[in-house]
Amino acid sequence: MDNIKMILEGLLFICGDEGLSLEMAANALNIDIETCEKEFDELQVYYTNDDRGMEIVRYNNTYKFLSKACIETYAKNLFKQTKSNSLSQAALETLAIIAYKQPITRVEIEEIRGVQADMMLRKLQAFGLIKEAGRSEAAGRPILYEVTDEFLDSFKLLSLDELPELPDFSKEDENEELFD
């Protein structure tokens, strides 16, 4: 099979934000994990070339395409042009989590939403709605995120105090049985 890298590249593109696990890729190509990992490693080297706008990153055993950091300025320009478009449900959910829980790490957001948040965080940063707010003291010192003044302007808020109160689901009504 001479086209393993080409196939991996296509599969990565198809998988999008979710990425492609090493095991899934090896199974799809009907090759062993070590060979698949070697092919991914070579693809990663290829995408580190300066004339590529994307890179392949590996989180745990999942690979995904990300735009390189040098694209950020242009992405911001692009998203400014399309800013009048409404935000997706996923974007609104992520923004709400950040607004109510800030400062918050990517992992904490992912735990609440139950899905990966890398690409959504990049998009929201490109829109100027969130920003990095330092580093957590937790292991690995993950980036903390918070909303920006642009977020407040976009949602016509003077401060985060104007956000509606969240319902308190932690208190159980002792008089009410959920399952009769």
Side-chain angles (χ1 to χ4, degrees):
M1 185 183 261
D2 294 333
N3 299 323
I4 292 177
K5 286 182 196 63
M6 176 194 69
I7 294 168
L8 285 174
E9 191 175 43
L11 292 175
L12 273 175
F13 180 78
I14 290 169
C15 290
D17 293 351
E18 296 302 314
L20 178 62
S21 76
L22 188 56
E23 294 78 20
M24 288 172 50
N27 289 337
L29 288 155
N30 200 24
I31 60 175
D32 61 83
I33 298 275
E34 293 77 22
T35 301
C36 191
E37 188 171 26
K38 178 183 164 288
E39 296 291 330
F40 266 129
D41 289 345
E42 290 175 12
L43 259 178
Q44 281 184 294
V45 169
Y46 171 75
Y47 275 96
T48 59
N49 191 333
D50 286 341
D51 64 348
R52 301 275 142 220
M54 295 185 299
E55 61 185 330
I56 297 175
V57 295
R58 179 179 181 176
Y59 296 112
N60 199 3
N61 280 326
T62 300
Y63 294 85
K64 54 177 80 172
F65 274 126
L66 293 179
S67 60
K68 288 189 175 174
C70 62
I71 304 298
E72 182 179 359
T73 301
Y74 305 101
K76 284 181 181 178
N77 291 340
L78 173 68
F79 288 121
K80 281 181 188 173
Q81 293 172 17
T82 60
K83 199 170 192 174
S84 61
N85 294 342
S86 62
L87 293 171
S88 68
Q89 184 67 31
L92 290 171
E93 289 172 7
T94 305
L95 266 175
I97 291 167
I98 295 168
Y100 280 99
K101 301 279 190 179
Q102 69 178 10
I104 187 170
T105 66
R106 176 187 53 82
V107 171
E108 292 169 324
I109 294 167
E110 290 172 349
E111 286 175 357
I112 293 169
R113 287 203 63 233
V115 296
Q116 294 181 342
D118 290 331
M119 291 304 296
M120 188 55 62
L121 290 171
R122 285 179 184 238
K123 288 176 185 177
L124 292 172
Q125 280 183 297
F127 274 122
L129 297 173
I130 65 169
K131 65 181 180 180
E132 292 182 12
R135 298 264 181 183
S136 169
E137 294 300 319
R141 301 204 19 94
I143 297 170
L144 292 167
Y145 294 95
E146 65 183 19
V147 294
T148 63
D149 290 339
E150 180 70 21
F151 166 84
L152 296 172
D153 291 343
S154 296
F155 289 90
K156 297 177 179 33
L157 299 170
L158 295 176
S159 75
L160 292 177
D161 295 333
E162 292 187 51
L163 289 173
E165 288 289 318
L166 290 176
D168 187 5
F169 293 111
S170 64
K171 296 178 184 172
E172 294 182 36
D173 190 350
E174 295 171 6
N175 298 331
E176 231 179 88
E177 300 261 342
L178 291 177
F179 303 102
D180 291 330

